[in-house]
Amino acid sequence: DTGVSQNPRHKITKRGQNVTFRCDPISEHNRLYWYRQTLGQGPEFLTYFQNEAQLEKSRLLSDRFSAERPKGSFSTLEIQRTEQGDSAMYLCATPRGSTDTQYFGPGTRLTVL
Amino acid sequence: GENVEQHPSTLSVQEGDSAVIKCTYSDSASNYFPWYKQELGKGPQLIIDIRSNVGEKKDQRIAVTLNKTAKHFSLHITETQPEDSAVYFCAEAGNQFYFGTGTSLTVIP
């Protein structure tokens, strides 16, 4: 158990709907990362936060995607007007202690019909 | 940073044999190289990592070697067990983590 929880674990939605995922790290590390993982691929970086500030965004993060970390603890990732290509596992990761090592949550598997 | 190649994509070994997975990277500024194991329906779990100031690190049946000059690093699993069956990802990290495409390891009892 990495101490990172994500909800929901699975989400099935129809194309065009909005979805929101949540990540809760047990320890409030100042950095939090979001990744996307499609079948047969490794995780791909989407964005990361230093406390409440969103410091970097990947070009994968289209304007339909928005992420927040309002109090520097939990984070949410919202996808608006979902498309079938958004179907993937969305992973959250935080370091632990003073190391750079990233510890992943179990992910949210999104299926867009 | 974005170009991490991982081989092989699939690997089957008999229980008790060794398994080796190799990765190459392109960013000479990268200084941290973790390996993750991912089981079906779960997030990746760190199994071992190495920093650029050492060439080898071992943890029981798992070892990682790093050749910074050649820009490649390898995962070695000895005395494989069926529970080692999973997908393994290498990663290289500078400012960001960049992952390989994964190796599906099957250990045949």
Side-chain angles (χ1 to χ4, degrees):
Chain A
D1 183 9
T2 63
V4 182
S5 62
Q6 291 188 245
N7 290 287
R9 294 293 310 277
H10 303 274
K11 178 70 177 178
I12 300 174
T13 190
K14 292 183 180 178
R15 189 176 53 186
Q17 298 295 306
N18 299 344
V19 294
T20 300
F21 313 137
R22 177 173 169 132
C23 170
D24 284 87
I26 286 185
S27 61
E28 294 183 4
H29 201 284
N30 58 3
R31 281 182 285 133
L32 185 148
Y33 297 78
W34 283 98
Y35 291 83
R36 182 179 74 180
Q37 185 179 24
T38 53
L39 205 61
Q41 298 295 318
E44 296 174 292
F45 170 79
L46 289 178
T47 188
Y48 96 94
F49 290 84
Q50 178 95 7
N51 300 313
E52 303 91 354
Q54 189 173 12
L55 293 189
E56 193 167 345
K57 298 182 191 179
S58 160
R59 61 178 182 272
L60 294 175
L61 212 68
S62 76
D63 56 6
R64 295 184 298 106
F65 287 68
S66 62
E68 294 182 345
R69 197 181 183 201
K71 298 181 182 178
S73 56
F74 74 92
S75 178
T76 58
L77 178 68
E78 181 184 14
I79 309 174
Q80 296 182 325
R81 305 182 303 280
T82 51
E83 301 173 355
Q84 287 182 325
D86 297 331
S87 295
M89 174 84 90
Y90 290 85
L91 294 159
C92 169
T94 64
R96 189 183 292 167
S98 59
T99 69
D100 296 334
T101 304
Q102 294 197 13
Y103 293 88
F104 286 85
T108 295
R109 178 162 295 286
L110 172 66
T111 302
V112 181
L113 301 176
Chain B
E2 295 188 32
N3 220 6
V4 181
E5 294 188 4
Q6 183 171 345
H7 300 281
S9 57
T10 59
L11 179 61
S12 292
V13 298
Q14 290 291 136
E15 182 177 359
D17 288 351
S18 296
V20 181
I21 303 170
K22 298 181 179 181
C23 286
T24 60
Y25 63 98
S26 56
D27 188 353
S28 55
S30 296
N31 55 16
Y32 176 60
F33 305 91
W35 284 90
Y36 288 84
K37 175 184 180 182
Q38 188 172 27
E39 296 173 325
L40 202 61
K42 297 184 179 180
Q45 288 190 306
L46 179 75
I47 54 171
I48 196 167
D49 55 12
I50 192 168
R51 296 192 183 271
S52 58
N53 57 345
V54 298
E56 186 173 356
K57 182 177 177 181
K58 191 172 181 181
D59 182 4
Q60 299 182 344
R61 297 186 295 108
I62 296 173
V64 56
T65 58
L66 171 64
N67 184 327
K68 278 220 77 177
T69 303
K71 294 184 188 159
H72 64 72
F73 54 114
S74 301
L75 177 71
H76 304 253
I77 306 174
T78 58
E79 301 170 28
T80 52
Q81 301 167 2
E83 50 266 39
D84 294 330
S85 297
V87 180
Y88 291 81
F89 292 97
C90 62
E92 55 118 347
N95 292 326
Q96 286 185 25
F97 276 52
Y98 294 99
F99 288 82
T101 49
T103 296
S104 177
L105 173 65
T106 301
V107 179
I108 304 165

